[in-house]
Amino acid sequence: MRAPALLSWDSERRQRGAGGVWQLFGCRKDAPDVERQIDIRGREMTQRAMKRARLCLMMAALLLGSFSGPRNSEAVAPDLIRPQQLAPYGLELAWFNQVQMDPSVGRMTSWLLDRGTLFVVTDTAVLQAFDAETGRSLWATTVGSPDLLTLKPTASEHLVAVVNGSTIYILNRHTGVILWKRQTEGAVGAGPALSPTRVFVPLIRGKIESYRFEWATPEMAAATGTPLVETATFGQTGSSQPTSNNRGTGGQGAQQTSPQAETETLPPEATVTAQPVGKEELRLSTKQRPGLFVMSWGHALVEPRLTYADSNRERVAWPTDQGLLFVAELDVRAELRFQVQYFLQTNGDIVAPPCIRPGDPTLSNDPNRMLFVATTNGFIHALREYDGKVLWRFSTGEPINQSPALVGDDLYFTTQTGGLYRVKATTGELVWFSRGIRQFVAASDQRVYGIDGINQLVIMDIQTGSRQGQFDVTRYPLRYMNSQTDRIYLANEQGLIQCLRESRLTQPIKHMVPVTQPPKQPPKPAQAQPQALPQPATPAPTPPVGENPFQ
């Protein structure tokens, strides 16, 4: 009840005089400095009341925060791109969402767009999947320990793989359930690559390890189109012999594995009828088989890429810090051969994964399947995938530290100092050049989007490369290089993801189909052949005289 007295003490003083105010503040009536004591006591009481009020407000805020959960809306709303910024350029915000983590502790580190799903990795070992078109969160799973480094994931049609520390995790990409895990034999240098039957992991010392996984039942294997392979019992996985490969364009040869193996004699492959198996029901066998490995010269610090896969062979490409690009092939059926097919030697460092131009999935030696490799000495190398023949080279004169982006039959790549090139993927012919662009972001049927040196999202005409507009995206340091669709994905380190699109494009434009296994054709029913009528025997012709050496 002191607060009302504090507010009305001045009126009481006017009514009762200065000598009567001591009753409110406990001052001596006959004190000579009663006015000064009253002022001091009043200020002290006011300060105590304000402290009590602040303490009550803090306790109320803590109680509200503990019941309402993380207050993401307060942090999200100011960070969203405003419609007023997008409307003049015909853009709109398709969706936004927050990664499942505490923004004050965790950070978003990497992400992957694959077949309409956006996979996000945080430094707290959380792997989360979003629908890339609607932004709906599909699932979130903790993989491994938050104290260990989680690398960039990779995905296939039904699986997603990620490395935490030195452990490989394979999850069902539809549910996020961990189906399989395996410990590597050394320190991992980059994220893995995933094929229909195996996972490939690069180690820092230049070793590429390959581990096979199997579906839990033959019905699941048949439903996913995975080939049934023979089983082999390996004596040891570490034995290898160095071999020199002269099919490359230079440099030292790689090492290949030569495990002592005894192949089991298996009965002929039985026909398995594909039963209807739901995507959520897919499981992998927990049985672990010995791994294969192949050695390369240098340190493998960049994630490999699956270049081709069918029921007989799988090929994977990876660079090293020695300026070499290796391509190895693995025999899927017998699993007795995993060796380097060829390598390319460049005069610069390769710090980004190669870009793949998919060919006919039914042809292992399709000449239209190509690899594009960027180097820090300013070159783009185009190779034929199955034999490594260099088809063309393009020189920029400036370092290139990002992978090229393939959009249709055009190749987009940027230099470190700023410059976006558009060239023909088949010939390397220059179409146009736009100065100042440091990262390719996305492309539609009419526009190309990139980031310049001052963190502006630049809009360019796809035919000429001329600028049509720009706006600031400094608050979103994570920009996904999307060569699959026309959508623009931006994010900050706190996990706020935003998807932009052109207002006229309600459905995404798909540019590139990922490398997949060719569909398995059903066997044709055998047709009864009419029995051939017996033909009279024809006598052998008699050679002319003089041509038979035995006459």
Side-chain angles (χ1 to χ4, degrees):
M1 299 300 296
R2 293 185 178 181
L6 289 175
L7 297 177
S8 59
W9 78 274
D10 201 16
S11 59
E12 291 286 341
R13 176 186 176 183
R14 288 193 299 267
Q15 294 178 4
R16 299 168 55 183
V21 186
W22 63 271
Q23 296 179 358
L24 297 176
F25 295 94
C27 301
R28 292 180 54 186
K29 181 177 180 180
D30 56 347
D33 53 349
V34 63
E35 293 285 347
R36 186 172 63 85
Q37 293 186 28
I38 291 175
D39 293 338
I40 293 175
R41 294 293 180 86
R43 284 195 298 269
E44 291 177 353
M45 296 173 65
T46 304
Q47 291 175 0
R48 287 195 296 268
M50 292 178 64
K51 288 181 180 179
R52 288 194 295 267
R54 283 196 299 266
L55 182 61
C56 293
L57 290 175
M58 290 174 62
M59 293 179 63
L62 290 175
L63 290 174
L64 289 175
S66 62
F67 286 105
S68 61
R71 294 173 292 169
N72 292 331
S73 59
E74 297 181 6
V76 166
D79 293 335
L80 292 178
I81 301 178
R82 298 180 180 180
Q84 295 81 356
Q85 294 179 267
L86 305 176
Y89 309 109
L91 298 174
E92 64 181 9
L93 180 63
W95 58 265
F96 70 92
N97 208 335
Q98 176 69 36
V99 179
Q100 183 176 315
M101 67 176 184
D102 186 358
S104 62
V105 178
R107 289 293 182 270
M108 176 177 167
T109 56
S110 61
W111 47 355
L112 171 72
L113 176 64
D114 184 87
R115 298 172 177 86
T117 304
L118 194 64
F119 299 97
V120 177
V121 173
T122 68
D123 60 0
T124 56
V126 173
L127 175 62
Q128 188 169 359
F130 296 90
D131 188 310
E133 189 57 25
T134 64
R136 181 173 63 92
S137 177
L138 304 178
W139 49 263
T141 303
T142 300
V143 286
S145 172
D147 299 329
L148 300 177
L149 178 64
T150 306
L151 301 175
K152 184 176 180 178
T154 185
S156 62
E157 185 177 0
H158 299 289
L159 303 172
V160 57
V162 66
V163 174
N164 175 261
S166 297
T167 305
I168 313 168
Y169 293 87
I170 298 181
L171 299 82
N172 185 327
R173 68 173 292 163
H174 309 292
T175 61
V177 177
I178 298 177
L179 306 178
W180 185 92
K181 67 178 181 178
R182 181 71 179 262
Q183 188 78 19
T184 63
E185 297 182 358
V188 180
L194 198 60
S195 75
T197 60
R198 306 187 74 91
V199 58
F200 302 87
V201 182
L203 302 188
I204 292 179
R205 54 179 173 169
K207 179 181 178 181
I208 303 297
E209 294 185 350
S210 174
Y211 298 100
R212 174 183 161 193
F213 53 84
E214 296 176 331
W215 295 104
T217 62
E219 289 77 16
M220 293 183 182
T224 56
T226 304
L228 298 176
V229 301
E230 298 178 1
T231 59
T233 304
F234 296 94
Q236 54 183 354
T237 62
S239 61
S240 63
Q241 62 182 23
T243 60
S244 177
N245 191 323
N246 296 323
R247 299 183 59 185
T249 59
Q252 293 187 359
Q255 292 182 349
Q256 69 179 37
T257 59
S258 179
Q260 303 296 329
E262 296 179 358
T263 306
E264 298 177 358
T265 302
L266 297 179
E269 181 179 331
T271 303
V272 180
T273 305
Q275 300 293 334
V277 179
K279 298 178 180 179
E280 297 78 9
E281 302 174 0
L282 295 176
R283 305 187 313 277
L284 292 178
S285 173
T286 57
K287 182 178 180 180
Q288 294 187 353
R289 298 185 177 275
L292 300 174
F293 72 86
V294 64
M295 292 298 298
S296 57
W297 181 29
H299 298 88
L301 304 175
V302 179
E303 57 265 23
R305 287 285 188 267
L306 181 71
T307 62
Y308 180 75
D310 62 10
S311 58
N312 296 319
R313 64 186 61 84
E314 295 174 351
R315 287 194 289 265
V316 62
W318 73 96
T320 66
D321 62 350
Q322 297 297 322
L324 297 172
L325 176 75
F326 293 88
V327 176
E329 182 175 286
L330 186 143
D331 189 343
V332 175
R333 289 291 181 180
E335 296 188 336
L336 299 178
R337 184 177 62 86
F338 183 32
Q339 66 182 13
V340 171
Q341 292 291 99
Y342 62 86
F343 58 88
L344 170 71
Q345 183 180 22
T346 65
N347 296 323
D349 295 332
I350 306 174
V351 297
C355 175
I356 306 169
R357 181 175 186 256
D360 187 349
T362 61
L363 299 177
S364 62
N365 296 340
D366 186 2
N368 295 321
R369 187 180 299 109
M370 302 169 62
L371 297 179
F372 305 99
V373 185
T375 60
T376 56
N377 62 349
F379 280 95
I380 296 290
H381 302 263
L383 302 93
R384 196 161 57 192
E385 185 270 342
Y386 71 88
D387 62 356
K389 179 182 178 181
V390 178
L391 302 178
W392 55 263
R393 288 199 316 169
F394 188 92
S395 176
T396 63
E398 299 175 349
I400 305 175
N401 55 11
Q402 295 180 1
S403 299
L406 182 67
V407 178
D409 286 331
D410 294 319
L411 198 68
Y412 296 87
F413 50 90
T414 58
T415 62
Q416 186 176 359
T417 57
L420 175 63
Y421 291 84
R422 176 191 175 188
V423 302
K424 293 294 183 181
T426 55
T427 63
E429 178 185 358
L430 178 64
V431 179
W432 52 256
F433 168 75
S434 181
R435 191 178 304 277
I437 307 300
R438 294 190 176 183
Q439 180 185 350
F440 172 86
V441 175
S444 66
D445 55 344
Q446 299 179 3
R447 294 175 172 178
V448 177
Y449 300 92
I451 303 294
D452 64 5
I454 57 175
N455 295 314
Q456 299 282 320
L457 181 66
V458 181
I459 306 170
M460 295 162 283
D461 181 76
I462 196 171
Q463 300 297 332
T464 62
S466 59
R467 299 197 178 196
Q468 297 180 346
Q470 61 186 28
F471 57 91
D472 183 64
V473 291
T474 305
R475 293 180 296 175
Y476 321 106
L478 301 178
R479 301 109 184 200
Y480 191 81
M481 190 181 74
N482 183 12
S483 60
Q484 300 183 24
T485 67
D486 63 292
R487 297 323 196 210
I488 303 171
Y489 297 99
L490 307 174
N492 57 18
E493 294 182 347
Q494 288 72 32
L496 174 62
I497 304 176
Q498 301 182 65
C499 174
L500 308 182
R501 69 182 181 189
E502 297 181 17
S503 303
R504 61 185 181 87
L505 298 177
T506 56
Q507 296 297 324
I509 299 176
K510 298 181 180 180
H511 301 305
M512 185 182 66
V513 178
V515 180
T516 56
Q517 184 184 358
K520 200 172 184 179
Q521 300 293 337
K524 296 182 179 180
Q527 297 180 356
Q529 299 292 338
Q531 295 183 356
L533 297 177
Q535 300 292 335
T538 304
T542 302
V545 179
E547 294 187 4
N548 191 346
F550 298 99
Q551 287 183 351

